Amino acid sequence: MNTAQLPFIKAHATENDFVVLTDVNDELDLTAEQVAWLCDRRAGIGGDGLLRVVRSPETGRWFMDYRNADGSIAEMCGNGIRAFAHVLVAEDLETAEKFEVDTRAGVKVIRVLAADGVDATVSVDMGPVAVTGVSTARMGDFEFAGIGVDVGNPHLACVIPGLTAEELAAMPFSQPEFDREFFPAGVNVEVLTELAPGEDGGEVHMRVWERGVGETRSCGTGTVAAAQTALADAGIEHGQVTVNVPGGALTIELQDGRAQMTGPSRIVARGVLAGGLG
């Protein structure tokens, strides 16, 4: 593929933002350095990660090739897959309301509830949610315990008793220290308030530190991990949780060990890389 005038889309889902490259025929061989440059907020376009839109020749389904902002490969991104699905519909690459997308964490079933060239509401069957045990993390002098949750990628979700939304927003957030034997591939760390009554089910407030990125305004799989942990902390097996993040809110429905995530997506800009990938 000639990348001299490579088109791109900038999109976000609850302000977790992405550079999106459409590469239907899988012609781009991106290096980690190229991805990091594209995601650089000063030298590149800027984003928490990169989404590459590819048609899988093996399955015929769309494949979401997701990379973290540092160029590393990630298994799954819940906000990313909503933005990915939105781009497919907005760019007339997908006409079905319901379709499947291949990810490194398995096949995800997508339902686009509403979409135009700018805004969308997308619901995703996130698949099985597995609790992997209990562990601890530290940010500076603050040490806390949480539950390990696998949502196709690893999380440590930590409910802090008595923590208010205002106190959470004011907390110093830094690179967490964690048990590398428990999380050998690294981990996303969520800090959240206890479950409180909401309009439909319960609600929590959450902040997240994503591996390979840093603190982000939202993390889709992280909201699933947070909802699972908040329900478990409250002694509830199933239910719906509104997870409030700095970038907005997501609705997570947990039933029989599976999660359904519903939330917004927005396309911010369409453009071309003036000098290509170099």
Side-chain angles (χ1 to χ4, degrees), residues 3 13 24 64 94 100 106 150 176-177 181 186 188 194 202 213 233-234 249:
T3 66
V24 173
M64 183 179 77
E94 179 60 64
E100 296 179 335
D150 188 332
E177 300 174 28
E181 289 188 8
N188 302 293
E194 295 172 288
V213 186
D233 180 71

Side-chain angles (χ1 to χ4, degrees), residues 256-275:
D256 299 324
R258 298 182 68 88
Q260 189 79 23
M261 175 188 65
T262 304
S265 168
R266 168 162 282 204
I267 292 174
V268 177
R270 296 172 175 84
V272 295
L273 296 176

